[in-house]
Amino acid sequence: MKLYGVAGWKNSGKTGLMERLVTEFTARGLTVSTVKHTHHRVDLDQPGKDSYRHREAGAQEVLMVSGSRWALLHELCDAPEPPFEDLIARMSPVDLLLIEGYKTGTHPKIEAHRQVTGKAPFAGDDPTVRALASDQPEAIVLDRPVFDLDDTRAIADFIAGDLSL
């Protein structure tokens, strides 16, 4: 399974780029899964729902199953967040696993960058960032490729080439 990340500062366009890349790669016939890392507390079910009640009662894991999907909710119970590699090992094999976040991970990645964040790209200091996708590519000077953030096809072509897909 090949991995590629999309990283960037908050509000840099990561999620939109991820959506477009999933659409582009699946249109090319690849199987794609995603990982989304966040620093915020996440609750996938809602108070009052049976699965929520199971977790609140103390269940360490709750497996929700329907005719259209299943989801495994695992409570950390004050344990540290598992290592990235351990989580990836739980994923079903696909052609491409796209990872949003995990900015400091060792996997190859594209940095999404928007001027409105007010932050400089971190790509210059990080060799795992193979290219930058910016809303103002002409204003960025780097020793690696810089793409227009909305040029999904060119970004996908770059990733495919980098991974020999």
Side-chain angles (χ1 to χ4, degrees), residues 69-115:
R69 73 187 48 88
W70 64 268
L72 178 62
L73 302 177
H74 180 93
E75 293 297 307
L76 291 177
C77 301
D78 296 324
E81 182 178 309
F84 174 74
E85 294 75 18
D86 292 355
L87 296 170
I88 298 306
R90 297 180 70 118
M91 301 290 293
S92 298
V94 291
D95 297 320
L96 177 61
L97 181 59
L98 290 172
I99 301 146
E100 180 178 344
Y102 283 108
K103 187 178 351 184
T104 60
T106 59
H107 57 280
K109 57 189 76 78
I110 295 271
E111 180 180 354
H113 180 264
R114 283 192 178 139
Q115 295 292 334

Side-chain angles (χ1 to χ4, degrees), residues 1-6 17-35 91-100 156 159-160 163 165:
M1 184 161 58
K2 300 200 176 183
L3 312 177
Y4 218 91
V6 174
L17 179 55
M18 286 281 292
E19 286 178 287
R20 294 189 310 274
L21 287 171
V22 170
T23 299
E24 178 69 25
F25 283 121
T26 57
R28 294 179 184 197
L30 298 175
T31 56
V32 179
S33 289
T34 65
V35 172
M91 301 290 293
S92 298
V94 291
D95 297 320
L96 177 61
L97 181 59
L98 290 172
I99 301 146
E100 180 178 344
I159 292 170
L163 293 176
L165 288 175

Side-chain angles (χ1 to χ4, degrees), residues 42-162:
V42 173
D43 223 336
L44 300 179
D45 57 354
Q46 300 168 359
K49 297 293 183 182
D50 294 350
S51 55
Y52 186 92
R53 293 171 60 194
H54 294 187
R55 288 188 309 112
E56 287 295 305
Q60 179 143 349
E61 289 189 329
V62 176
L63 181 64
M64 297 187 304
V65 183
S66 74
S68 58
R69 73 187 48 88
W70 64 268
L72 178 62
L73 302 177
H74 180 93
E75 293 297 307
L76 291 177
C77 301
D78 296 324
E81 182 178 309
F84 174 74
E85 294 75 18
D86 292 355
L87 296 170
I88 298 306
R90 297 180 70 118
M91 301 290 293
S92 298
V94 291
D95 297 320
L96 177 61
L97 181 59
L98 290 172
I99 301 146
E100 180 178 344
Y102 283 108
K103 187 178 351 184
T104 60
T106 59
H107 57 280
K109 57 189 76 78
I110 295 271
E111 180 180 354
H113 180 264
R114 283 192 178 139
Q115 295 292 334
V116 72
T117 66
K119 297 194 179 241
F122 58 82
D125 298 331
D126 186 343
T128 67
V129 176
R130 306 285 175 87
L132 186 93
S134 175
D135 61 348
Q136 295 183 343
E138 67 285 347
I140 307 289
V141 177
L142 282 177
D143 61 350
R144 60 201 89 178
V146 178
F147 297 97
D148 186 290
L149 185 57
D150 293 324
D151 194 350
T152 307
R153 176 171 282 149
I155 296 167
D157 288 344
F158 177 81
I159 292 170
D162 203 21

